[in-house]
Amino acid sequence: MLEIRQVTRRFGTNTAVRDVALEIERGEMVGVIGRSGAGKSTLLRMINRLIDPSEGSIVFHGREVSALKGASLRRWQRDCAMIFQQFNLVPRLDVLTNVLLGRLNHRSTALSLMNMFTREERIRAITALERLDIAQTALQRAGTLSGGQQQRVAIARALMQEPKVILADEPIASLDPLNAKVVMDSLADINAREGITVITNLHTLDTARVYCTRIVGMARGAVVFDGPPEALTGEAVRMIYGGEEGVELSEAITSTSISVSPKPLKQSSGQSVPALAAV
Ligand SMILES: Nc1ncnc2c1ncn2[C@@H]1O[C@H](COP(=O)(O)OP(=O)(O)OP(=O)(O)O)[C@@H](O)[C@H]1O
Ligand SMILES: [Mg+2]
């Protein structure tokens, strides 16, 4: 279980995240929504320890993540894989190598420097690509792929980490609706089949409603809603998106949204993804 205990993060005089307390159980699929600047990315980055809280603590299965250093910090960053809006692949390397890079935290620096991946790791990487239906791109340079394909490579790379938690920061914000659906379907499938906890920031409410079992709404750094999609009333939506600047509500809610139901990805032929460690 992941516990976020009264976490605050300040940047100078600006409070990006304000006294946030959340308990997230293993296997939840959590959508974090809110206007631009609400603190969604800052919250995710603190969980992964890309940045540190100013106050409060983050605890995973009784261990204080916010106090980890050195090797144990690296282990935690392996356990919670991050997916970004801009994919963060190495464009000039081929897809297979990009996916194998997800193993780096599992191995010694010496082996990594020699770029030696084992046969088992290569099979695992191909299997992850098959699962995301992009094995045919394995030898292509990552930079030549479409945005939707690149995000699937990033998810395959995340799977190589054998994560316990996947943190996705607006994974579909740069994608067209069809590719957005494929990417969200794959995250939902990984969540359902491996029981990996997924916490994803989403720009659109509709996507969160369709895919997430729990929605966390943030406004001005604070959590103003936390509950299942059914509990998200018009009033709750106004609390999350409404504000002094008079945001165009309908636009915030529906732009680039996905209105179709999630459907599991096709099962890859042959070997299944080797037992991914659960929380
Ligand atoms: N590294 C930083 N230095 C200074 N201020 C920052 C930094 N990162 C975030 N902020 C500020 O913290 C606040 C929250 O930013 P954050 O990126 O978490 O919002 P967000 O909800 O992810 O927004 P968006 O939907 O635009 O991605 C903003 O006011 C932002 O300007
Ligand atoms: Mg953000």
Side-chain angles (χ1 to χ4, degrees), residues 47-62:
I47 296 173
N48 187 256
R49 287 287 308 278
L50 288 171
I51 52 175
D52 289 328
S54 309
E55 281 167 35
S57 60
I58 297 171
V59 176
F60 187 69
H61 284 273

Side-chain angles (χ1 to χ4, degrees), residues 11 14 16 34-42 170 203:
F11 293 105
N14 180 14
R35 294 175 58 180
S36 182
K40 306 179 295 294
S41 297
T42 305
E170 311 234 4
H203 238 99

Side-chain angles (χ1 to χ4, degrees), residues 36-112:
S36 182
K40 306 179 295 294
S41 297
T42 305
L43 180 64
L44 239 57
R45 293 162 69 86
M46 284 192 288
I47 296 173
N48 187 256
R49 287 287 308 278
L50 288 171
I51 52 175
D52 289 328
S54 309
E55 281 167 35
S57 60
I58 297 171
V59 176
F60 187 69
H61 284 273
R63 280 191 93 189
E64 191 168 332
V65 168
S66 35
L68 298 176
K69 288 193 176 77
S72 37
L73 174 58
R74 282 196 297 282
R75 205 168 310 123
W76 167 244
Q77 289 178 328
R78 180 185 81 195
D79 284 347
C80 69
M82 215 54 211
I83 309 246
F84 300 91
Q85 177 180 345
Q86 290 307 334
F87 328 126
N88 286 22
L89 302 177
V90 185
R92 63 190 167 74
L93 294 181
D94 65 48
V95 163
L96 186 63
T97 308
N98 269 280
V99 174
L100 285 163
L101 290 177
R103 290 307 281 182
L104 283 190
N105 281 336
H106 281 264
R107 54 215 329 281
S108 76
T109 317
L111 270 182
S112 303

Side-chain angles (χ1 to χ4, degrees), residues 89-137:
L89 302 177
V90 185
R92 63 190 167 74
L93 294 181
D94 65 48
V95 163
L96 186 63
T97 308
N98 269 280
V99 174
L100 285 163
L101 290 177
R103 290 307 281 182
L104 283 190
N105 281 336
H106 281 264
R107 54 215 329 281
S108 76
T109 317
L111 270 182
S112 303
L113 286 176
M114 286 189 285
N115 197 23
M116 283 169 52
F117 292 101
T118 64
R119 188 180 136 72
E120 194 263 332
E121 284 173 324
R122 287 170 193 279
I123 291 172
R124 195 184 269 258
I126 292 281
T127 308
L129 286 169
E130 272 175 359
R131 175 174 184 176
L132 289 142
D133 212 10
I134 44 166
Q136 73 282 5
T137 67

